[in-house]
Amino acid sequence: QAPLAWQAPLPRRAAATTDGARLLRQLGRVLHERFAAASPRRRVPAAWGDRPRVQPKVATGELALLFVRPTTGDNDAVGTAGMLETCVALYAADGEMPEHAQLLFCRGATSREEIDAFLHRAFNADACALVRGRLFCALRLGALPEATYLYLKERVVRLYHATNPKRFRLALLCEEAERHRVSTDLAAFEPRADVVPLGAAAMREALPARRAVVVSSQRAGLGKTTRVRALAAERGCRCLRSVTVSGLTSRAELVRELRAALADGACDALHVNVLDVPASRAELVNEMLFELLYLSMVGDAAASAASIVHVACAAVFVEIANGVGAPLLRLLPVCGYCEQEVLEWGANTSPPSFSLEPR
C-alpha cells in the first residue's frame, strides 16, 4: 500500500520560481496520485466475511429518506428509536461497516460547518478513491434545532440538483414522528420503507472480532471493577486503563479521555465505566458507545483528523452501574448486544459469584 498523502514528498519550489498557482497545481497532482494509489480500508466484521454480496439498499446516485419507527427490539431496549440498528442494516447490505467520516450524528449542538463538511464528503465521494462508492448516512435529523434543520434541508436539495453526474450514495434517517415535516420539506425524495432494523443476533454479528464484555450487577458493592481487572488478566492484557462516561459526558470530553489513556501506546485493554445516564441523554451516549464498540473510534463534532481517536485495544470492558431491573442496559441497547457478565450474590451472600449470561 502506498504511503498516505501527508507522507509523500512534496514538490519544492525552485529559487527562481514565484508562480504560486503553478506550485499549487503541482502539489495537487502529487496528492491526487497518492490518494488514487492508496487502497481504501474496509471494515468487515468476521461474521460478514464469507457472506455473498447482496444488492445495496441505497443505489448509486440515490438519496434515500428513511423513517424509523420506535421499537423495543428483541433485546428489550426502551428509549431508542432503532436508529443505529437501521443504520447497520444499510451497511450490512454493503458488506462493510462505515468509517467515522461517513456518519453524521445529528444533535442539538450540530453546527453548520459540521453539516457542510459532511455533505461535501458525501456528494463529492467519487473524487476520492478512499470513499468512492461508499454510503454516507445522517441520523436523527429531528434532533437538530429548527434553524439548523432548515439549513441542512436547503443544502441537501441544492447539492442534489447541482451534482452531476450523480455518483453519491446518501441516506437520511429520521424518527417516525418527524415524517410529516421532513417528507413535506424533502418532497422530491420518495421515502423508503423496505429497510428493517437489525435484531439482536444480527447486531452481535456486526461487532468486531474483538468482542467487548459488559460487566453489570443489580446492586453496588459486588466488585464490578475488580472483576474487570480479573477478566483483563485472564485475556493476557498487561495494561488496563479506564475512561468514564456519564450522562454529562460530551464527545469532546470522551475524545480527550481516550487520547490520554492511549497516548503512549501501552494500553491493550480499555475499561469504560458507564455511570448514571438519564433517559434524555441515553441516545447520545448510545451513539458514542456504538462508535467505540462497533467502529473502534470516537470522533468529536469537527470530524477532522485531530478530533478522532482510534481504539486499537485487544479488549474492551464496559462496566455499567445497572441497578434493579437493568434500566441502564435497556436505555443503552448497544451494550446489550455485547457479551454479558452479571454479578450476583452467591447462596451464602458472600463472596459475590460471577455468572456469564450471553444475550
PDB file of all heavy atoms in Angstrom, residues 15 29-30 51 67 93 121 140 162-163 169 176 179 204 216 234 238-239 245 254-255 289 295 297 300 304 313 337 342:
ATOM      1  N   ALA A  15      14.317  28.259  -6.512  1.00  0.00           N
ATOM      2  CA  ALA A  15      14.611  29.599  -6.028  1.00  0.00           C
ATOM      3  C   ALA A  15      14.066  30.663  -6.976  1.00  0.00           C
ATOM      4  O   ALA A  15      13.639  31.735  -6.549  1.00  0.00           O
ATOM      5  CB  ALA A  15      16.124  29.761  -5.853  1.00  0.00           C
ATOM      6  N   ARG A  29      -1.372  17.625  -8.033  1.00  0.00           N
ATOM      7  CA  ARG A  29      -1.116  16.387  -8.799  1.00  0.00           C
ATOM      8  C   ARG A  29      -0.495  15.319  -7.913  1.00  0.00           C
ATOM      9  O   ARG A  29      -0.844  14.134  -7.998  1.00  0.00           O
ATOM     10  CB  ARG A  29      -0.213  16.691  -9.997  1.00  0.00           C
ATOM     11  CG  ARG A  29      -0.919  17.398 -11.145  1.00  0.00           C
ATOM     12  CD  ARG A  29      -0.079  17.354 -12.404  1.00  0.00           C
ATOM     13  NE  ARG A  29       1.194  18.064 -12.233  1.00  0.00           N
ATOM     14  CZ  ARG A  29       1.371  19.352 -12.510  1.00  0.00           C
ATOM     15  NH1 ARG A  29       0.334  20.075 -12.937  1.00  0.00           N
ATOM     16  NH2 ARG A  29       2.543  19.929 -12.347  1.00  0.00           N
ATOM     17  N   VAL A  30       0.438  15.725  -7.036  1.00  0.00           N
ATOM     18  CA  VAL A  30       1.074  14.754  -6.148  1.00  0.00           C
ATOM     19  C   VAL A  30       0.046  14.155  -5.194  1.00  0.00           C
ATOM     20  O   VAL A  30      -0.009  12.927  -5.003  1.00  0.00           O
ATOM     21  CB  VAL A  30       2.220  15.427  -5.358  1.00  0.00           C
ATOM     22  CG1 VAL A  30       2.741  14.481  -4.275  1.00  0.00           C
ATOM     23  CG2 VAL A  30       3.345  15.822  -6.294  1.00  0.00           C
ATOM     24  N   ARG A  51     -19.996 -13.971   3.615  1.00  0.00           N
ATOM     25  CA  ARG A  51     -21.321 -13.812   3.048  1.00  0.00           C
ATOM     26  C   ARG A  51     -21.242 -13.377   1.585  1.00  0.00           C
ATOM     27  O   ARG A  51     -20.388 -12.572   1.208  1.00  0.00           O
ATOM     28  CB  ARG A  51     -22.117 -12.759   3.824  1.00  0.00           C
ATOM     29  CG  ARG A  51     -22.536 -13.188   5.214  1.00  0.00           C
ATOM     30  CD  ARG A  51     -23.349 -12.084   5.859  1.00  0.00           C
ATOM     31  NE  ARG A  51     -23.822 -12.459   7.177  1.00  0.00           N
ATOM     32  CZ  ARG A  51     -24.497 -11.640   7.982  1.00  0.00           C
ATOM     33  NH1 ARG A  51     -24.754 -10.417   7.586  1.00  0.00           N
ATOM     34  NH2 ARG A  51     -24.896 -12.047   9.169  1.00  0.00           N
ATOM     35  N   PHE A  67     -37.706   6.636   7.534  1.00  0.00           N
ATOM     36  CA  PHE A  67     -38.341   6.985   8.803  1.00  0.00           C
ATOM     37  C   PHE A  67     -38.362   5.752   9.693  1.00  0.00           C
ATOM     38  O   PHE A  67     -38.886   4.704   9.299  1.00  0.00           O
ATOM     39  CB  PHE A  67     -39.756   7.516   8.560  1.00  0.00           C
ATOM     40  CG  PHE A  67     -39.780   8.806   7.779  1.00  0.00           C
ATOM     41  CD1 PHE A  67     -39.997   8.795   6.417  1.00  0.00           C
ATOM     42  CD2 PHE A  67     -39.533  10.012   8.413  1.00  0.00           C
ATOM     43  CE1 PHE A  67     -40.008   9.978   5.692  1.00  0.00           C
ATOM     44  CE2 PHE A  67     -39.535  11.200   7.697  1.00  0.00           C
ATOM     45  CZ  PHE A  67     -39.771  11.179   6.334  1.00  0.00           C
ATOM     46  N   ALA A  93     -25.941  -4.585   4.119  1.00  0.00           N
ATOM     47  CA  ALA A  93     -26.173  -4.892   2.703  1.00  0.00           C
ATOM     48  C   ALA A  93     -24.935  -4.592   1.863  1.00  0.00           C
ATOM     49  O   ALA A  93     -24.694  -5.251   0.838  1.00  0.00           O
ATOM     50  CB  ALA A  93     -27.373  -4.097   2.193  1.00  0.00           C
ATOM     51  N   ARG A 121     -18.317  15.784   1.802  1.00  0.00           N
ATOM     52  CA  ARG A 121     -17.746  14.433   1.651  1.00  0.00           C
ATOM     53  C   ARG A 121     -18.714  13.508   0.922  1.00  0.00           C
ATOM     54  O   ARG A 121     -18.308  12.700   0.085  1.00  0.00           O
ATOM     55  CB  ARG A 121     -17.405  13.862   3.029  1.00  0.00           C
ATOM     56  CG  ARG A 121     -16.273  14.558   3.737  1.00  0.00           C
ATOM     57  CD  ARG A 121     -15.796  13.760   4.944  1.00  0.00           C
ATOM     58  NE  ARG A 121     -16.845  13.571   5.940  1.00  0.00           N
ATOM     59  CZ  ARG A 121     -17.044  14.384   6.973  1.00  0.00           C
ATOM     60  NH1 ARG A 121     -16.273  15.458   7.113  1.00  0.00           N
ATOM     61  NH2 ARG A 121     -17.993  14.149   7.856  1.00  0.00           N
ATOM     62  N   ARG A 140     -30.943  10.868  12.856  1.00  0.00           N
ATOM     63  CA  ARG A 140     -31.706  11.667  13.822  1.00  0.00           C
ATOM     64  C   ARG A 140     -31.809  13.134  13.408  1.00  0.00           C
ATOM     65  O   ARG A 140     -31.450  14.041  14.155  1.00  0.00           O
ATOM     66  CB  ARG A 140     -31.108  11.558  15.222  1.00  0.00           C
ATOM     67  CG  ARG A 140     -31.118  10.170  15.800  1.00  0.00           C
ATOM     68  CD  ARG A 140     -30.436  10.091  17.151  1.00  0.00           C
ATOM     69  NE  ARG A 140     -31.166  10.831  18.152  1.00  0.00           N
ATOM     70  CZ  ARG A 140     -30.647  11.805  18.895  1.00  0.00           C
ATOM     71  NH1 ARG A 140     -29.387  12.141  18.729  1.00  0.00           N
ATOM     72  NH2 ARG A 140     -31.373  12.412  19.807  1.00  0.00           N
ATOM     73  N   ALA A 162     -27.428  20.122  -8.036  1.00  0.00           N
ATOM     74  CA  ALA A 162     -26.233  20.699  -8.661  1.00  0.00           C
ATOM     75  C   ALA A 162     -25.175  19.657  -8.984  1.00  0.00           C
ATOM     76  O   ALA A 162     -24.273  19.932  -9.784  1.00  0.00           O
ATOM     77  CB  ALA A 162     -25.635  21.768  -7.740  1.00  0.00           C
ATOM     78  N   THR A 163     -25.257  18.482  -8.375  1.00  0.00           N
ATOM     79  CA  THR A 163     -24.224  17.463  -8.567  1.00  0.00           C
ATOM     80  C   THR A 163     -24.542  16.625  -9.791  1.00  0.00           C
ATOM     81  O   THR A 163     -25.558  15.935  -9.852  1.00  0.00           O
ATOM     82  CB  THR A 163     -24.118  16.551  -7.330  1.00  0.00           C
ATOM     83  OG1 THR A 163     -23.863  17.351  -6.174  1.00  0.00           O
ATOM     84  CG2 THR A 163     -23.003  15.535  -7.506  1.00  0.00           C
ATOM     85  N   ARG A 169     -23.971   8.300  -2.681  1.00  0.00           N
ATOM     86  CA  ARG A 169     -24.932   7.422  -2.008  1.00  0.00           C
ATOM     87  C   ARG A 169     -25.162   8.009  -0.621  1.00  0.00           C
ATOM     88  O   ARG A 169     -24.264   8.007   0.207  1.00  0.00           O
ATOM     89  CB  ARG A 169     -24.410   5.984  -1.900  1.00  0.00           C
ATOM     90  CG  ARG A 169     -24.136   5.306  -3.239  1.00  0.00           C
ATOM     91  CD  ARG A 169     -23.487   3.954  -3.037  1.00  0.00           C
ATOM     92  NE  ARG A 169     -24.382   3.063  -2.327  1.00  0.00           N
ATOM     93  CZ  ARG A 169     -23.985   2.128  -1.475  1.00  0.00           C
ATOM     94  NH1 ARG A 169     -22.698   1.980  -1.198  1.00  0.00           N
ATOM     95  NH2 ARG A 169     -24.855   1.342  -0.881  1.00  0.00           N
ATOM     96  N   GLU A 176     -39.949   8.397  13.127  1.00  0.00           N
ATOM     97  CA  GLU A 176     -41.272   8.318  12.513  1.00  0.00           C
ATOM     98  C   GLU A 176     -42.120   9.537  12.868  1.00  0.00           C
ATOM     99  O   GLU A 176     -42.935   9.996  12.052  1.00  0.00           O
ATOM    100  CB  GLU A 176     -41.978   7.037  12.974  1.00  0.00           C
ATOM    101  CG  GLU A 176     -43.394   6.862  12.445  1.00  0.00           C
ATOM    102  CD  GLU A 176     -43.450   6.714  10.940  1.00  0.00           C
ATOM    103  OE1 GLU A 176     -42.454   6.248  10.345  1.00  0.00           O
ATOM    104  OE2 GLU A 176     -44.498   7.048  10.352  1.00  0.00           O
ATOM    105  N   ARG A 179     -42.118  12.372  10.315  1.00  0.00           N
ATOM    106  CA  ARG A 179     -42.446  12.037   8.920  1.00  0.00           C
ATOM    107  C   ARG A 179     -43.138  13.197   8.199  1.00  0.00           C
ATOM    108  O   ARG A 179     -42.768  13.533   7.059  1.00  0.00           O
ATOM    109  CB  ARG A 179     -43.319  10.786   8.867  1.00  0.00           C
ATOM    110  CG  ARG A 179     -43.804  10.439   7.463  1.00  0.00           C
ATOM    111  CD  ARG A 179     -44.705   9.225   7.471  1.00  0.00           C
ATOM    112  NE  ARG A 179     -43.960   8.000   7.706  1.00  0.00           N
ATOM    113  CZ  ARG A 179     -43.412   7.266   6.726  1.00  0.00           C
ATOM    114  NH1 ARG A 179     -43.534   7.651   5.467  1.00  0.00           N
ATOM    115  NH2 ARG A 179     -42.767   6.166   7.027  1.00  0.00           N
ATOM    116  N   ARG A 204     -25.118  -8.440  16.995  1.00  0.00           N
ATOM    117  CA  ARG A 204     -23.943  -9.095  17.593  1.00  0.00           C
ATOM    118  C   ARG A 204     -22.954  -9.508  16.518  1.00  0.00           C
ATOM    119  O   ARG A 204     -21.738  -9.421  16.707  1.00  0.00           O
ATOM    120  CB  ARG A 204     -24.374 -10.300  18.418  1.00  0.00           C
ATOM    121  CG  ARG A 204     -24.920  -9.956  19.794  1.00  0.00           C
ATOM    122  CD  ARG A 204     -24.973 -11.182  20.698  1.00  0.00           C
ATOM    123  NE  ARG A 204     -25.955 -12.147  20.210  1.00  0.00           N
ATOM    124  CZ  ARG A 204     -27.223 -12.168  20.559  1.00  0.00           C
ATOM    125  NH1 ARG A 204     -27.698 -11.245  21.389  1.00  0.00           N
ATOM    126  NH2 ARG A 204     -28.045 -13.074  20.089  1.00  0.00           N
ATOM    127  N   SER A 216     -22.031  -6.025  34.659  1.00  0.00           N
ATOM    128  CA  SER A 216     -23.065  -5.272  35.359  1.00  0.00           C
ATOM    129  C   SER A 216     -23.505  -6.041  36.599  1.00  0.00           C
ATOM    130  O   SER A 216     -23.124  -7.196  36.803  1.00  0.00           O
ATOM    131  CB  SER A 216     -24.271  -5.026  34.437  1.00  0.00           C
ATOM    132  OG  SER A 216     -24.848  -6.259  34.039  1.00  0.00           O
ATOM    133  N   GLU A 234      -7.098 -12.507  32.683  1.00  0.00           N
ATOM    134  CA  GLU A 234      -7.358 -13.798  32.052  1.00  0.00           C
ATOM    135  C   GLU A 234      -7.092 -13.771  30.555  1.00  0.00           C
ATOM    136  O   GLU A 234      -6.710 -14.786  29.963  1.00  0.00           O
ATOM    137  CB  GLU A 234      -8.811 -14.213  32.306  1.00  0.00           C
ATOM    138  CG  GLU A 234      -9.117 -14.563  33.753  1.00  0.00           C
ATOM    139  CD  GLU A 234     -10.594 -14.808  33.968  1.00  0.00           C
ATOM    140  OE1 GLU A 234     -11.348 -14.844  32.961  1.00  0.00           O
ATOM    141  OE2 GLU A 234     -11.014 -14.961  35.137  1.00  0.00           O
ATOM    142  N   ARG A 238      -1.867  -6.645  29.623  1.00  0.00           N
ATOM    143  CA  ARG A 238      -0.861  -6.181  30.572  1.00  0.00           C
ATOM    144  C   ARG A 238      -1.095  -4.746  31.050  1.00  0.00           C
ATOM    145  O   ARG A 238      -0.545  -4.347  32.072  1.00  0.00           O
ATOM    146  CB  ARG A 238       0.528  -6.280  29.950  1.00  0.00           C
ATOM    147  CG  ARG A 238       0.983  -7.712  29.670  1.00  0.00           C
ATOM    148  CD  ARG A 238       2.337  -7.755  29.012  1.00  0.00           C
ATOM    149  NE  ARG A 238       2.302  -7.154  27.670  1.00  0.00           N
ATOM    150  CZ  ARG A 238       3.361  -7.062  26.867  1.00  0.00           C
ATOM    151  NH1 ARG A 238       4.534  -7.510  27.295  1.00  0.00           N
ATOM    152  NH2 ARG A 238       3.245  -6.525  25.677  1.00  0.00           N
ATOM    153  N   CYS A 239      -1.868  -3.972  30.326  1.00  0.00           N
ATOM    154  CA  CYS A 239      -2.088  -2.572  30.699  1.00  0.00           C
ATOM    155  C   CYS A 239      -3.557  -2.231  30.502  1.00  0.00           C
ATOM    156  O   CYS A 239      -4.027  -2.083  29.372  1.00  0.00           O
ATOM    157  CB  CYS A 239      -1.195  -1.648  29.868  1.00  0.00           C
ATOM    158  SG  CYS A 239      -1.359   0.101  30.308  1.00  0.00           S
ATOM    159  N   VAL A 245     -17.806   7.461  31.363  1.00  0.00           N
ATOM    160  CA  VAL A 245     -18.869   8.003  30.528  1.00  0.00           C
ATOM    161  C   VAL A 245     -20.112   8.160  31.392  1.00  0.00           C
ATOM    162  O   VAL A 245     -20.523   7.214  32.073  1.00  0.00           O
ATOM    163  CB  VAL A 245     -19.183   7.087  29.325  1.00  0.00           C
ATOM    164  CG1 VAL A 245     -20.344   7.657  28.514  1.00  0.00           C
ATOM    165  CG2 VAL A 245     -17.955   6.915  28.448  1.00  0.00           C
ATOM    166  N   LEU A 254     -14.932  12.830  25.942  1.00  0.00           N
ATOM    167  CA  LEU A 254     -14.585  11.418  25.773  1.00  0.00           C
ATOM    168  C   LEU A 254     -13.361  11.259  24.886  1.00  0.00           C
ATOM    169  O   LEU A 254     -12.490  10.425  25.156  1.00  0.00           O
ATOM    170  CB  LEU A 254     -15.776  10.661  25.184  1.00  0.00           C
ATOM    171  CG  LEU A 254     -15.564   9.154  24.970  1.00  0.00           C
ATOM    172  CD1 LEU A 254     -15.157   8.467  26.269  1.00  0.00           C
ATOM    173  CD2 LEU A 254     -16.828   8.513  24.401  1.00  0.00           C
ATOM    174  N   VAL A 255     -13.282  12.072  23.833  1.00  0.00           N
ATOM    175  CA  VAL A 255     -12.103  12.012  22.965  1.00  0.00           C
ATOM    176  C   VAL A 255     -10.846  12.364  23.745  1.00  0.00           C
ATOM    177  O   VAL A 255      -9.806  11.711  23.611  1.00  0.00           O
ATOM    178  CB  VAL A 255     -12.283  12.947  21.749  1.00  0.00           C
ATOM    179  CG1 VAL A 255     -10.960  13.144  21.009  1.00  0.00           C
ATOM    180  CG2 VAL A 255     -13.327  12.374  20.798  1.00  0.00           C
ATOM    181  N   LEU A 289     -21.067   5.076  22.411  1.00  0.00           N
ATOM    182  CA  LEU A 289     -20.673   3.692  22.673  1.00  0.00           C
ATOM    183  C   LEU A 289     -20.719   2.866  21.394  1.00  0.00           C
ATOM    184  O   LEU A 289     -19.917   1.939  21.210  1.00  0.00           O
ATOM    185  CB  LEU A 289     -21.580   3.081  23.739  1.00  0.00           C
ATOM    186  CG  LEU A 289     -21.434   3.677  25.148  1.00  0.00           C
ATOM    187  CD1 LEU A 289     -22.479   3.077  26.087  1.00  0.00           C
ATOM    188  CD2 LEU A 289     -20.028   3.423  25.693  1.00  0.00           C
ATOM    189  N   LEU A 295     -17.093   0.635  15.736  1.00  0.00           N
ATOM    190  CA  LEU A 295     -16.172   1.232  14.775  1.00  0.00           C
ATOM    191  C   LEU A 295     -14.758   1.385  15.322  1.00  0.00           C
ATOM    192  O   LEU A 295     -13.856   1.772  14.581  1.00  0.00           O
ATOM    193  CB  LEU A 295     -16.693   2.606  14.339  1.00  0.00           C
ATOM    194  CG  LEU A 295     -18.135   2.646  13.819  1.00  0.00           C
ATOM    195  CD1 LEU A 295     -18.489   4.058  13.365  1.00  0.00           C
ATOM    196  CD2 LEU A 295     -18.340   1.646  12.697  1.00  0.00           C
ATOM    197  N   MET A 297     -13.541   3.635  17.176  1.00  0.00           N
ATOM    198  CA  MET A 297     -13.091   5.022  17.140  1.00  0.00           C
ATOM    199  C   MET A 297     -14.212   5.899  17.679  1.00  0.00           C
ATOM    200  O   MET A 297     -15.376   5.514  17.678  1.00  0.00           O
ATOM    201  CB  MET A 297     -12.718   5.451  15.723  1.00  0.00           C
ATOM    202  CG  MET A 297     -13.883   5.454  14.751  1.00  0.00           C
ATOM    203  SD  MET A 297     -13.409   5.996  13.097  1.00  0.00           S
ATOM    204  CE  MET A 297     -12.473   4.566  12.560  1.00  0.00           C
ATOM    205  N   ASP A 300     -15.079  13.762  17.580  1.00  0.00           N
ATOM    206  CA  ASP A 300     -15.711  14.981  18.076  1.00  0.00           C
ATOM    207  C   ASP A 300     -16.502  15.626  16.942  1.00  0.00           C
ATOM    208  O   ASP A 300     -16.482  15.173  15.805  1.00  0.00           O
ATOM    209  CB  ASP A 300     -14.624  15.926  18.609  1.00  0.00           C
ATOM    210  CG  ASP A 300     -15.198  17.057  19.429  1.00  0.00           C
ATOM    211  OD1 ASP A 300     -16.425  17.065  19.637  1.00  0.00           O
ATOM    212  OD2 ASP A 300     -14.422  17.942  19.842  1.00  0.00           O
ATOM    213  N   SER A 304     -12.570  16.034  12.175  1.00  0.00           N
ATOM    214  CA  SER A 304     -11.292  16.178  11.496  1.00  0.00           C
ATOM    215  C   SER A 304     -10.333  15.134  12.029  1.00  0.00           C
ATOM    216  O   SER A 304     -10.626  14.417  12.980  1.00  0.00           O
ATOM    217  CB  SER A 304     -10.722  17.575  11.732  1.00  0.00           C
ATOM    218  OG  SER A 304     -10.445  17.764  13.107  1.00  0.00           O
ATOM    219  N   CYS A 313      -7.287  -1.320  21.088  1.00  0.00           N
ATOM    220  CA  CYS A 313      -7.051  -2.235  22.209  1.00  0.00           C
ATOM    221  C   CYS A 313      -7.521  -3.645  21.859  1.00  0.00           C
ATOM    222  O   CYS A 313      -8.489  -3.840  21.114  1.00  0.00           O
ATOM    223  CB  CYS A 313      -7.773  -1.757  23.453  1.00  0.00           C
ATOM    224  SG  CYS A 313      -7.287  -0.099  23.987  1.00  0.00           S
ATOM    225  N   TYR A 337     -25.959  -5.820  23.166  1.00  0.00           N
ATOM    226  CA  TYR A 337     -25.566  -6.751  22.110  1.00  0.00           C
ATOM    227  C   TYR A 337     -24.224  -7.420  22.402  1.00  0.00           C
ATOM    228  O   TYR A 337     -23.841  -8.364  21.719  1.00  0.00           O
ATOM    229  CB  TYR A 337     -25.482  -6.022  20.768  1.00  0.00           C
ATOM    230  CG  TYR A 337     -26.769  -5.349  20.364  1.00  0.00           C
ATOM    231  CD1 TYR A 337     -26.782  -4.027  19.914  1.00  0.00           C
ATOM    232  CD2 TYR A 337     -27.981  -6.019  20.438  1.00  0.00           C
ATOM    233  CE1 TYR A 337     -27.967  -3.401  19.552  1.00  0.00           C
ATOM    234  CE2 TYR A 337     -29.167  -5.396  20.077  1.00  0.00           C
ATOM    235  CZ  TYR A 337     -29.145  -4.092  19.632  1.00  0.00           C
ATOM    236  OH  TYR A 337     -30.318  -3.486  19.273  1.00  0.00           O
ATOM    237  N   VAL A 342     -22.894 -10.844  34.448  1.00  0.00           N
ATOM    238  CA  VAL A 342     -23.724 -10.266  35.507  1.00  0.00           C
ATOM    239  C   VAL A 342     -23.237 -10.782  36.855  1.00  0.00           C
ATOM    240  O   VAL A 342     -23.112 -11.995  37.063  1.00  0.00           O
ATOM    241  CB  VAL A 342     -25.211 -10.625  35.308  1.00  0.00           C
ATOM    242  CG1 VAL A 342     -26.067  -9.973  36.386  1.00  0.00           C
ATOM    243  CG2 VAL A 342     -25.675 -10.179  33.926  1.00  0.00           C
TER     244      VAL A 342
END
